[in-house]
Amino acid sequence: MTVHRNVLAFVMAGGEGSRLHPLTADRCKPAVPFNGKHRIVDFVLSNLVNSEIYSVYLLVQYKSQSLIEHVRQTWTMARFMPQHFVTCVPPQMRNGPEWFQGTADAVYQNIHLIESMKPDIVAVFGADHIYRMDVRQMIDFHLQSGAHASVATLPVRLSQSDQFGIVDIDDNNRIVDFKEKPKACKPMPGSTSHALGSMGNYIFNADVLLEQLRKMHENGTSDFGKHILPSMVKTHKLVAYDFDTNHIPGTEPYEEHGYWRDVGTIDAYFQAHFDTLGAAPKFRMTNSRWPIYASPDQAESAQIENGVINRSVVGSGSIVDGAALDHAMLRRSVHVDRGARLEHCIVMERSRIGRGAQVHRAIIDQDNDVPAGERIGFDLEQDRRRFHVTESGIVVVPAGYFRPGSGHHATTRGTVRAGKGKLEVVA
């Protein structure tokens, strides 16, 4: 495998994430927490760094402060290696008082960064997905194909074609057509149920990208999927990289090969969490040969007094005292009091589940003090009067909805310590 020293990466981290509301009420989509101690953006950044791509700009926009703070605390590089950085870049407004008008416009507003870095290759990746990917393998494919631009692809159901860029290819993987989120499309070769969808990850020759960005700006267009890539199909060589061929060291046989999830909706976000649970999960968070890095964890070890725990994650600093957890995902510093029961739940930082409270198929955002005896997820009509409830019945309690003092809680002191970081107990 070729070592690519002169690669510059742009990560599109400005997503508003309206379909993830209320989790995105005060944070952008890439900053939304995931699993025990990660955020969604950690996946793309880990993939780039593990692929030895160390020059990374995150283009941020909506409600970006929590993301900026997370990057500042987590993704620091040595100051004596100037080409090693992960930096957040807000809209520069160099051409007027405008925010990013689209994915390509976001890069165009920072075209000076490409011109000053003078890379050979520019990677433009999304920040909204849960997956592992060795980007070097895609770059090798790009170079060997003699392509001007490459698009990472994977099969998607025809019924989901309106959620993806859809590509048609010839026998040599050359893209002969690119349609952004078409209402209908024909299936990919060899299938009657799937089309070839874009993952939103692109590799460009730097000179070609600069040319296309300037042309786009002159034409008044603004997006890679809607404008640049479709226009390049007839004038440049675009190829489709098959994500299924990407090999990640340390992947276990029981994991889903080529695992990739767009967690842009509450339902998809909720389900992806449970894909990581158990002794043989679809996607294993712990892989020492391809780690997904998380923010530094200064919290104490988790403490388990007693209770019944089945296939759950208990984050550091959490206390479980005589409670029942079944497919529960507790982030940091969560207290679950005696007699409480959590079933298929995600509970975020600094929250407390009161004595005897019952929570079913719900996401409890951070800083909630759920009162003793509270019931969430059992009467959806009642829940809808207070919370956001998806069509499939997932209840989302916004951050800080239940203020401290809204119910009585017993004082607990755990005595059994788990390991640093997070504890996973499998029945």
Side-chain angles (χ1 to χ4, degrees):
M1 180 181 296
T2 306
V3 177
H4 309 285
R5 300 283 181 193
N6 200 13
V7 179
L8 176 64
F10 286 97
V11 174
M12 315 308 292
E16 185 176 8
S18 58
R19 294 182 300 162
L20 277 178
H21 188 81
L23 299 180
T24 51
D26 297 304
R27 55 168 87 92
C28 61
K29 183 177 172 183
V32 171
F34 188 85
N35 203 269
K37 56 183 179 179
H38 295 80
R39 294 178 185 251
I40 295 174
V41 74
D42 291 330
F43 290 84
V44 64
L45 294 181
S46 296
N47 287 330
L48 291 168
V49 169
N50 289 336
S51 301
E52 300 179 334
I53 297 172
Y54 302 123
S55 302
V56 183
Y57 288 111
L58 273 79
L59 305 186
V60 303
Q61 182 156 264
Y62 298 101
K63 300 173 184 175
S64 59
Q65 190 57 40
S66 62
L67 177 60
I68 292 171
E69 289 299 319
H70 173 67
V71 170
R72 181 183 64 82
Q73 296 170 9
T74 306
W75 292 93
T76 55
M77 300 287 191
R79 64 182 181 182
F80 51 83
M81 302 178 73
Q83 301 302 311
H84 290 42
F85 59 84
V86 176
T87 300
C88 291
V89 182
Q92 298 300 295
M93 301 184 181
R94 287 170 165 260
N95 302 293
E98 292 184 346
W99 281 24
F100 299 146
Q101 302 302 301
T103 53
D105 180 67
V107 178
Y108 177 80
Q109 286 199 33
N110 294 282
I111 197 170
H112 62 288
L113 299 176
I114 306 175
E115 294 169 337
S116 62
M117 288 283 295
K118 294 182 173 58
D120 301 313
I121 297 291
V122 178
V124 180
F125 274 48
D128 305 337
H129 307 124
I130 307 302
Y131 68 117
R132 283 186 172 91
M133 179 181 185
D134 187 344
V135 184
R136 294 169 297 190
Q137 295 175 32
M138 182 177 177
I139 294 175
D140 281 335
F141 174 82
H142 171 84
L143 295 174
Q144 292 165 8
S145 301
H148 296 109
S150 297
V151 179
T153 61
L154 77 175
V156 298
R157 294 189 178 278
L158 291 175
S159 60
Q160 297 177 317
S161 64
D162 60 349
Q163 302 175 34
F164 297 88
I166 301 298
V167 305
D168 290 333
I169 59 174
D170 64 16
D171 294 338
N172 297 312
N173 294 305
R174 181 165 183 166
I175 297 174
V176 296
D177 195 15
F178 189 110
K179 292 184 175 67
E180 180 70 0
K181 299 180 179 179
K183 292 183 179 180
C185 66
K186 62 182 181 181
M188 60 189 288
S191 175
T192 59
S193 58
H194 288 73
L196 200 57
S198 165
M199 297 168 60
N201 293 348
Y202 316 125
I203 300 294
F204 288 92
N205 292 345
D207 57 343
V208 173
L209 178 60
L210 288 170
E211 173 194 10
Q212 292 301 309
L213 289 174
R214 295 184 183 113
K215 184 182 298 185
M216 172 213 72
H217 183 67
E218 292 174 0
N219 295 337
T221 53
S222 61
D223 197 78
F224 283 111
K226 293 178 182 177
H227 307 121
I228 285 187
L229 293 171
S231 70
M232 290 179 63
V233 167
K234 294 182 179 179
T235 59
H236 293 76
K237 185 175 183 179
L238 272 64
V239 298
Y241 173 70
D242 183 359
F243 177 63
D244 191 57
T245 65
N246 200 263
H247 172 72
I248 297 297
T251 302
E252 296 291 347
Y254 53 74
E255 294 185 71
E256 180 181 310
H257 178 70
Y259 184 94
W260 182 88
R261 296 292 189 273
D262 181 348
V263 289
T265 66
I266 292 291
D267 290 277
Y269 171 82
F270 187 79
Q271 183 55 51
H273 276 81
F274 298 102
D275 289 344
T276 70
L277 289 182
K282 290 183 179 179
F283 184 87
R284 189 169 57 104
M285 291 294 294
T286 53
N287 181 342
S288 60
R289 299 180 66 187
W290 201 272
I292 305 298
Y293 299 102
S295 57
D297 193 348
Q298 303 301 323
E300 291 296 322
S301 302
Q303 299 184 56
I304 312 297
E305 177 69 20
N306 54 49
V308 179
I309 300 178
N310 175 55
R311 192 163 286 185
S312 298
V313 166
V314 181
S316 56
S318 295
I319 298 175
V320 178
D321 177 22
L325 275 57
D326 183 6
H327 289 73
M329 182 79 65
L330 309 186
R331 284 178 64 85
R332 299 167 181 163
S333 301
V334 174
H335 288 208
V336 186
D337 285 345
R338 187 169 297 276
R341 182 172 183 82
L342 303 178
E343 298 176 339
H344 287 81
C345 294
I346 301 166
V347 184
M348 297 190 187
E349 285 86 348
R350 301 176 301 279
S351 291
R352 186 161 194 157
I353 310 299
R355 180 186 287 266
Q358 298 184 52
V359 186
H360 174 68
R361 293 193 78 228
I363 301 172
I364 311 297
D365 207 343
Q366 63 189 31
D367 299 312
N368 270 294
D369 199 336
V370 177
E374 179 70 48
R375 286 170 60 84
I376 299 171
F378 297 93
D379 185 339
L380 296 183
E381 288 306 312
Q382 181 183 10
D383 288 332
R384 284 190 178 94
R385 290 194 284 269
R386 300 186 292 171
F387 314 122
H388 175 80
V389 181
T390 70
E391 290 185 4
S392 68
I394 299 168
V395 182
V396 185
V397 178
Y401 179 88
F402 292 108
R403 296 295 181 183
S406 58
H408 174 71
H409 300 291
T411 300
T412 59
R413 290 290 184 271
T415 57
V416 181
R417 292 182 175 272
K420 278 280 187 184
K422 67 180 180 182
L423 169 70
E424 182 167 339
V425 184
V426 181

